[in-house]
């Protein structure tokens, strides 16, 4: 009896082998169907936007490897002469989106009159670079300097009135401090983000929160640093996670590496930046 039991445990029954082969065949078939469906629905250019917006929220539970594989299969199988540059561009963009946002700003990607204040705001502290500032402005106002938003928000950076009152100065030396003065607004944004980064670092150092300083600072900008503290890190809310994702998705654009299509669908449901005052409401990545 014991011999028979050992034989059963030590060898794979024919039925198990057959089931394993069938399972492998089914997996391969399903993968082929998925690739075919995606190549039909999305162009390679659109997939760059999808991949970038997904890769940057890897800490939020998204499985990245299948998406990257599908992207490479779809874009690499067409035989077009311009595919290698596209793949290289996508690879660079994905890497930048996961980074610290401290790359050099390509000033040609922002309005000429805003390039200097964006650069200056991104040099106020070591954690928040001009690429981050530009990406936030894109999300907040689409570079509309005269935007009037809800809850008294004004200007290119769309800071809440109490926040602007605390961090705003007459940076353009025109005799008044106004959120509708682009330089005043952008520099206030930079000061606020640096302060949020300091507070995020303190939470991390004390063990009260986990995550990167940049992500927690961005979440603090979107939902308040108290919400970050209460959550012990990046809050598991649509607004916080969607905001961080949408900002990071723009990093490559403002480094001049890749221009992410504004109409690209994203797994998080993030709407492209519009001339509205607040970040568009996003779907939870886990539900897509």
């Amino acid at each position: 009896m014991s011999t028979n039991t050992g034989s059963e445990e030590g060898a794979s029954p024919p039925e198990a082998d057959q089931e394993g082969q069938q399972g492998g065949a089914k997996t391969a078939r399903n993968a082929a169907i998925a690739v075919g469906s995606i190549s039909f629905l999305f162009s390679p250019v659109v997939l760059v936007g999808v991949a970038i917006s997904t890769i940057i929220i890897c800490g939020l539970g998204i499985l990245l490897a299948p998406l990257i594989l599908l992207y490479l299969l779809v874009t690499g199988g067409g035989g077009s002469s311009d595919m290698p540059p596209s793949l290289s561009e996508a690879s660079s963009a994905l890497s930048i989106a996961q980074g610290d946002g401290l790359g050099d700003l390509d000033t040609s990607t922002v309005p000429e009159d805003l390039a200097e204040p964006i650069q200056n705001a991104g040099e106020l502290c070591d954690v928040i670079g001009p690429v981050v500032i530009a990406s936030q402005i894109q999300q907040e106002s689409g570079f509309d300097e005269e935007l009037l938003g809800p809850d008294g928000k004004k200007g290119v950076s769309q800071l809440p009135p109490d926040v602007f009152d605390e961090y705003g100065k007459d940076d353009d030396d025109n005799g008044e401090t106004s959120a509708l003065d682009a330089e005043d607004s952008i520099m206030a944004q930079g000061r606020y983000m640096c302060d949020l980064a300091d507070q995020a670092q303190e939470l991390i150092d004390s063990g009260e929160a986990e995550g990167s300083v940049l992500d927690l600072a961005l979440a603090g900008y979107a939902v308040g640093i108290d919400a970050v503290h209460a959550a012990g890190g990046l809050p598991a809310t649509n607004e916080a996670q969607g905001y961080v994702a949408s900002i990071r998705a723009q990093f490559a654009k403002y480094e001049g590496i890749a221009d992410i299509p504004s109409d690209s669908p994203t797994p998080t449901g993030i709407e492209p930046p519009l001339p509205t005052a607040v970040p568009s409401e996003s779907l939870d990545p886990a539900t897509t």
Side-chain angles (χ1 to χ4, degrees):
M1 179 66 69
S2 59
T3 302
N4 292 338
T5 302
S7 175
E8 290 174 358
E9 293 178 350
S12 299
E15 293 82 356
D17 291 340
Q18 184 175 1
E19 290 177 358
Q21 292 172 0
Q22 291 175 344
K26 183 181 294 184
T27 299
R29 183 173 66 253
N30 290 342
I33 293 172
V35 171
S37 299
I38 288 182
S39 63
F40 175 76
L41 291 173
F42 300 116
S43 70
V45 174
V46 169
L47 280 173
V48 174
V50 175
I52 290 173
S53 295
T54 302
I55 194 78
I56 52 89
I57 52 175
C58 57
L60 308 181
I62 296 293
L63 295 176
L64 304 177
L67 179 62
I68 296 173
L69 176 60
L70 289 173
Y71 175 82
L72 294 175
L73 288 172
V74 172
T75 59
S80 174
S81 60
D82 64 354
M83 282 302 164
S86 296
L87 291 175
S88 175
E89 181 180 77
S91 177
S92 297
L94 293 175
S95 177
I96 291 170
Q98 289 181 294
D100 55 17
L102 295 178
D104 294 332
L105 174 71
D106 181 349
T107 56
S108 69
T109 63
V110 299
E112 184 177 357
D113 61 326
L114 300 185
E116 184 174 355
I118 289 173
Q119 195 73 48
N120 292 339
E123 294 174 353
L124 292 174
C125 60
D126 295 335
V127 181
I128 307 301
V131 168
V132 176
I133 298 295
S135 298
Q136 285 186 287
I137 294 173
Q138 173 67 56
Q139 174 70 15
E140 295 292 339
S141 68
F143 295 92
D144 183 350
E145 302 176 30
E146 300 180 352
L147 182 62
L148 301 178
D151 302 321
K153 295 179 180 180
K154 300 177 182 178
V156 72
S157 298
Q158 288 293 292
L159 291 169
D162 60 330
V163 173
F164 182 80
D165 288 344
E166 181 177 355
Y167 296 93
K169 298 180 180 180
D170 182 18
D171 288 287
D172 58 2
D173 296 322
N174 69 347
E176 65 174 337
T177 301
S178 172
L180 292 176
D181 291 340
E183 187 168 355
D184 294 358
S185 184
I186 293 171
M187 292 301 292
Q189 173 191 346
R191 295 186 190 100
Y192 183 40
M193 281 298 296
C194 287
D195 191 11
L196 288 172
D198 288 342
Q199 294 181 64
Q201 186 65 67
E202 291 176 2
L203 291 175
I204 293 171
D205 291 343
S206 65
E208 297 176 83
E210 296 181 350
S212 75
V213 171
L214 177 57
D215 285 351
L216 299 191
L218 287 171
Y221 194 97
V223 299
I225 199 67
D226 288 343
V228 174
H229 188 187
L234 182 61
T237 63
N238 298 336
E239 185 176 8
Q241 295 183 359
Y243 187 78
V244 173
S246 62
I247 299 305
R248 283 186 170 276
Q250 298 295 328
F251 285 177
K253 174 180 179 178
Y254 291 106
E255 286 193 31
I257 302 300
D259 189 2
I260 308 307
S262 61
D263 59 349
S264 298
T266 66
T268 57
I270 300 168
E271 296 296 332
L274 298 172
T276 55
V278 294
S280 301
E281 186 172 322
S282 306
L283 298 175
D284 190 330
T287 64
T288 57

